[in-house]
Amino acid sequence: MQPLFENNNLPTESLPQITRLEFQGIEKDYAKILYISNTIFFVAVLVAIILVIMLELGFSHWLSPTLILAWLALYLGSLWLSSISVAHKEYALRQKDISYKSGIFFRNWITVPFNRVQHCEISRGVLDNAFGLSVLRVFTAGGSGSDISIPGLKPETADRLKELIIAKIEAADEEE
Amino acid sequence: MRKNDGSWYETATRQSKVAILLIIFNVIKSLIRNWWPILIVVVFRSDILTPGQGRSILIVVGLAIIVFSIISYYRFYFFLKQDKLHVQRGVFTRSNMDIPFDRIQTISFEQGIVHQLFDVVKVKIDTAGSSKDEFEFAALPKSKANELRSFILSRKTMQTGESDGKTPSPDKNLIMALRPMDLLKVGVSQNHLRTAGIILAFFLGLRDRIDEALGQQYVDRFDRFAADLFDNAFTVLILMVIALLVIAFASTLVLTFLRFYNLKVWTSKDGYYVQGGLFNRREQAALNHKIQIIRSMSNPIRKLFNIVYFRFHQASSRGITRSSTISIPGCTIESLAHIRRSYFGSAIEKHFSHWGVAKQLFYRRWLIIGWIPFLILLVAHWTLSLPSILVISIVWLILSAFFQWVYQRDWRLSVNEELLQTHSGVLEKVTKIMHLYKIQSVEIRQTPYQRRHDLVSLVFYTASGAVRVPFITEAIALQVKDYTLYKIESADRKWM
């Protein structure tokens, strides 16, 4: 492939290449959180469906079992996708930036340089607490689309990453 | 720190008395905005209130508004002390506010008709921080406002050693001024279809709101009227479309004159200053370090007039949700080149590498924009058997093919050592240019369809919006991403 920039004293082949990154997976336990939140949603909608059936359709109507079966199929499908999606969420740190990949079919891969990070925090929901996991959030000035949120991290890992990123931000600030 | 020359701004000062009038206006405006469905009901349905009741309610509400406004005027005062702006205000709950000068980002003036009559200005204070610290003086005498601004900015400069503010520096140069003739060109070359859409949406929205406010019987009458029109049909419909376009054309022209009357643009070493407007004269500043993207929009009519619609996208102190843009319509090609050269410097002249986007983008967009509506119209044709629908659907399929083909053919991503540029559009050509180092993060997205063809979409996030590049070759995207990250990470310049 021909070089990108002709008037460039730094040939692009020698740039740090992001394809050579070693990505790190998240904890497999995160799938359980997804299962539970999916199940809560499934049950809530199921209750609504049953109510509609009882009040409007009646159980003998052909639509009633169809609706329930269809919803059950969607639920099982979502569980299956959740279990795969965990393996597709991975992150990587380099000296000067952090990358996060996610998505089974529609894949996203976002990279945020440390000198553009606004702030960085660890958040923990009820379910995260139950399974001893943390979410690392990295915020930039580029709006919500450009923020990174890495779920399913061990608290120690999340803390370590946060410390590291904050140290990097401070280092970058001093340079400026 | 306190100086002892006893300037007026060191003691508690109220706004100009005109402020009472303006507060009354604002209260009435916000009342109408929030309660207008109820007002319509009261006005149109005479059975709810007798005229006598109506009059007394009006008097009571009117008096309440006036009393409220006067109290709110007298409860508002401000003074400057120890490099802070102190403000006290509030009718029911009193609030005290301290704004340190170094948190003040910009101080801008605005003048409506009333302001111009009494020679006062509305002063907006924009701070770095949460939006609750941002506020406005409804009216200050112009001379006092100027004194206030220059005092705050001079103190600020002493503190930080850098000048940063709305006041055009003395060394500012006028680079552009719109004369009425230019304004006419701008008005004619605006996107009239968009105005037509807004007008249409407004009337459709109005119909729903009337529905809520007046009840079904009025809407039925309206619909019956519309149905009658439809019966003797196509000619009337075409007449309505023409009428809509004429109204749209006239109103964009009027709006353009109101908004950009006597528009002037200055440059200085800190940035660009824009002033304009007929009844409401506004001045805005685009400071170099806050500018993230510059964007120019061209269309065939503008090309004929040799002008573009130009826009600065700035990062706002409150981040992306409030990012501000400054528009300069009727910017001549020479002024455009001048602004680009003065903002980007020599970087703009460095050699750009260009890439197009893949054919698959055309297939995808034609499928969604062309074929899906076509198939729906085809079904409608079979069920209703109207020959006109068949004609429309075929015309649509061909037109959309042409448009999407041009869209795909003309899309360009260009990168040079310092800058990134995108160029896209069919009739309205949009060019965006930004410094690579001002980008906040880079994302690569891939759908299953793109994966089969080794394509991706690239998204560049900036502090004033994202720039998306659809359907480019994966290898190129990776190279551009690597280079962009390298430029960001090795940059030590302030991006905002």
Side-chain angles (χ1 to χ4, degrees):
Chain A
M1 193 176 300
Q2 69 185 69
L4 259 182
F5 307 96
E6 294 180 3
N7 187 16
N8 196 346
N9 48 16
L10 188 111
T12 39
E13 291 83 53
S14 73
L15 285 181
Q17 278 181 17
I18 203 144
T19 26
R20 302 222 183 102
L21 275 178
E22 296 256 321
F23 277 88
Q24 200 88 55
I26 62 168
E27 296 301 317
K28 296 282 169 283
D29 270 2
Y30 181 65
K32 292 178 189 159
I33 294 181
L34 290 178
Y35 296 154
I36 292 176
S37 53
N38 276 345
T39 307
I40 292 171
F41 182 65
F42 166 73
V43 171
V45 175
L46 188 67
V47 168
I49 290 176
I50 289 174
L51 271 178
V52 168
I53 288 173
M54 273 162 51
L55 298 174
E56 298 286 334
L57 290 173
F59 282 98
S60 50
H61 195 286
W62 65 270
L63 206 53
S64 307
T66 321
L67 267 177
I68 293 179
L69 282 178
W71 183 241
L72 192 71
L74 273 178
Y75 171 62
L76 292 176
S78 80
L79 289 187
W80 179 64
L81 285 183
S82 305
S83 69
I84 304 178
S85 80
V86 172
H88 279 86
K89 292 185 199 297
E90 42 187 18
Y91 64 93
L93 261 75
R94 293 194 298 183
Q95 220 175 345
K96 286 177 183 278
D97 54 34
I98 178 167
S99 292
Y100 177 58
K101 272 186 177 178
S102 65
I104 307 167
F105 303 113
F106 295 86
R107 291 190 186 157
N108 289 346
W109 170 17
I110 185 160
T111 306
V112 177
F114 293 131
N115 58 354
R116 293 293 176 268
V117 174
Q118 293 286 303
H119 73 280
C120 172
E121 67 178 39
I122 291 172
S123 78
R124 248 190 227 193
V126 183
L127 288 177
D128 292 319
N129 260 331
F131 290 96
L133 291 175
S134 296
V135 183
L136 179 77
R137 291 165 185 277
V138 178
F139 297 91
T140 69
S144 57
S146 71
D147 297 337
I148 290 183
S149 162
I150 308 175
L153 295 174
K154 278 191 189 133
E156 327 58 285
T157 319
D159 281 335
R160 200 167 42 83
L161 288 176
K162 188 188 157 195
E163 303 279 292
L164 206 136
I165 292 173
I166 286 174
K168 297 275 189 188
I169 301 174
E170 279 164 3
D173 276 351
E174 267 161 33
E175 266 173 45
E176 269 174 22
Chain B
M1 292 296 277
R2 193 189 162 109
K3 288 192 296 180
N4 278 322
D5 57 331
S7 298
W8 59 269
Y9 39 71
E10 295 194 352
T11 54
T13 309
R14 295 210 165 84
Q15 306 179 79
S16 162
K17 287 261 191 316
V18 186
I20 300 180
L21 206 62
L22 293 162
I23 297 170
I24 293 176
F25 277 159
N26 284 337
V27 174
I28 293 176
K29 220 162 75 184
S30 73
L31 279 180
I32 289 178
R33 191 178 302 146
N34 291 320
W35 297 95
W36 70 268
I38 291 180
L39 283 177
I40 286 188
V41 174
V42 172
V43 172
F44 280 96
R45 302 216 4 203
S46 45
D47 48 327
I48 296 181
L49 288 174
T50 66
Q53 281 172 325
R55 215 170 300 136
S56 40
I57 288 182
L58 211 62
I59 291 172
V60 170
V61 172
L63 277 178
I65 292 172
I66 291 171
V67 169
F68 174 87
S69 304
I70 292 176
I71 294 178
S72 119
Y73 168 78
Y74 279 102
R75 303 266 283 187
F76 182 107
Y77 58 84
F78 68 95
F79 55 93
L80 307 181
K81 198 180 169 187
Q82 288 169 343
D83 287 337
K84 277 181 194 153
L85 169 65
H86 298 258
V87 179
Q88 214 177 86
R89 61 173 172 175
V91 174
F92 301 113
T93 50
R94 208 121 177 76
S95 81
N96 274 304
M97 204 159 59
D98 282 346
I99 305 174
F101 290 171
D102 55 349
R103 289 266 307 284
I104 294 176
Q105 292 257 327
T106 51
I107 303 172
S108 56
F109 297 166
E110 219 179 293
Q111 274 191 310
I113 309 179
V114 181
H115 291 97
Q116 287 177 25
L117 281 178
F118 292 95
D119 202 30
V120 294
V121 289
K122 175 164 152 188
V123 181
K124 276 188 177 168
I125 307 245
D126 192 15
T127 59
S130 63
S131 54
K132 75 181 206 314
D133 285 353
E134 164 209 28
F135 81 106
E136 297 177 353
F137 295 101
L140 284 185
K142 206 171 185 174
S143 55
K144 281 193 178 182
N146 271 322
E147 255 182 87
L148 193 74
R149 176 160 77 175
S150 49
F151 178 72
I152 292 180
L153 292 181
S154 68
R155 297 295 305 173
K156 206 170 132 64
T157 314
M158 277 165 64
Q159 283 174 347
T160 57
E162 63 176 281
S163 106
D164 173 5
K166 282 266 170 162
T167 338
S169 322
D171 56 338
K172 62 178 186 168
N173 299 313
L174 187 70
I175 53 169
M176 223 187 94
L178 284 188
R179 291 157 304 160
M181 195 52 209
D182 301 325
L183 218 50
L184 194 66
K185 288 182 187 170
V186 172
V188 170
S189 64
Q190 298 278 51
N191 191 341
H192 301 288
L193 287 179
R194 191 178 300 148
T195 323
I198 292 169
I199 293 174
L200 207 62
F202 176 74
F203 280 111
L204 293 179
L206 204 64
R207 185 186 164 284
D208 284 350
R209 297 298 283 267
I210 291 172
D211 182 359
E212 282 166 31
L214 294 180
Q216 198 53 41
Q217 74 199 60
Y218 284 83
V219 176
D220 284 350
R221 210 176 293 165
F222 179 84
D223 284 348
R224 223 172 302 133
F225 171 69
D228 284 348
L229 272 182
F230 219 82
D231 280 349
N232 45 39
F234 220 58
T235 41
V236 180
L237 196 70
I238 287 174
L239 280 180
M240 277 170 70
V241 169
I242 292 172
L244 181 70
L245 287 178
V246 170
I247 294 172
F249 181 77
S251 38
T252 23
L253 227 70
V254 171
L255 284 177
T256 306
F257 266 87
L258 289 180
R259 203 169 147 209
F260 300 117
Y261 180 77
N262 198 13
L263 185 97
K264 288 192 175 113
V265 184
W266 293 269
T267 99
S268 81
K269 64 178 200 330
D270 307 326
Y272 304 84
Y273 303 89
V274 181
Q275 204 181 69
L278 187 57
F279 297 127
N280 200 6
R281 274 199 84 69
R282 295 204 294 169
E283 51 164 84
Q284 294 168 296
L287 302 173
N288 284 335
H289 63 271
K290 291 181 92 182
I291 296 171
Q292 306 290 318
I293 303 175
I294 69 168
R295 164 187 177 135
S296 50
M297 290 162 279
S298 177
N299 63 31
I301 302 175
R302 287 186 192 138
K303 214 168 206 166
L304 200 68
F305 292 144
N306 214 14
I307 56 175
V308 294
Y309 194 110
F310 181 83
R311 212 174 257 172
F312 289 112
H313 290 257
Q314 292 196 93
S316 154
S317 46
R318 281 168 306 284
I320 190 122
T321 49
R322 289 281 305 268
S323 73
S324 54
T325 61
I326 292 178
S327 300
I328 306 175
C331 182
T332 58
I333 302 296
E334 297 80 56
S335 303
L336 175 70
H338 179 89
I339 294 176
R340 280 184 179 166
R341 252 199 323 276
S342 68
Y343 176 63
F344 290 117
S346 59
I348 193 83
E349 266 132 39
K350 289 183 180 156
H351 176 262
F352 277 97
S353 308
H354 305 277
W355 298 278
V357 298
K359 270 275 171 283
Q360 278 76 13
L361 179 68
F362 163 65
Y363 305 144
R364 199 20 73 97
R365 284 178 67 102
W366 192 30
L367 177 72
I368 293 168
I369 298 169
W371 281 91
I372 290 177
F374 173 72
L375 292 175
I376 292 171
L377 284 174
L378 216 57
V379 172
H381 167 66
W382 279 327
T383 48
L384 301 171
S385 65
L386 286 173
S388 58
I389 291 188
L390 188 66
V391 175
I392 291 175
S393 61
I394 290 171
V395 169
W396 176 257
L397 194 66
I398 295 167
L399 260 183
S400 62
F402 176 70
F403 269 68
Q404 295 316 315
W405 176 69
V406 174
Y407 183 83
Q408 182 270 328
R409 187 197 64 185
D410 288 359
W411 225 110
R412 283 288 174 284
L413 166 69
S414 315
V415 180
N416 77 9
E417 218 174 306
E418 309 283 336
L419 309 177
L420 184 137
Q421 174 183 311
T422 63
H423 180 80
S424 64
V426 179
L427 286 178
E428 179 160 71
K429 303 276 187 195
V430 180
T431 307
K432 300 177 189 171
I433 313 180
M434 71 208 76
H435 276 292
L436 284 167
Y437 79 87
K438 288 203 173 188
I439 290 168
Q440 302 290 314
S441 66
V442 188
E443 186 176 19
I444 287 181
R445 297 179 171 192
Q446 197 174 41
T447 65
Y449 176 66
Q450 288 176 325
R451 191 152 48 247
R452 283 202 299 279
H453 296 94
D454 288 326
L455 297 170
V456 297
S457 297
L458 247 181
V459 189
F460 299 94
Y461 294 95
T462 77
S464 66
V467 174
R468 282 158 221 282
V469 183
F471 285 73
I472 70 167
T473 318
E474 191 168 12
I476 299 286
L478 286 170
Q479 265 193 347
V480 173
K481 182 172 177 175
D482 278 341
Y483 186 68
T484 307
L485 289 172
Y486 160 72
K487 286 307 279 188
I488 303 170
E489 288 159 11
S490 61
D492 50 6
R493 292 158 82 183
K494 265 177 73 174
W495 57 270
M496 189 188 125

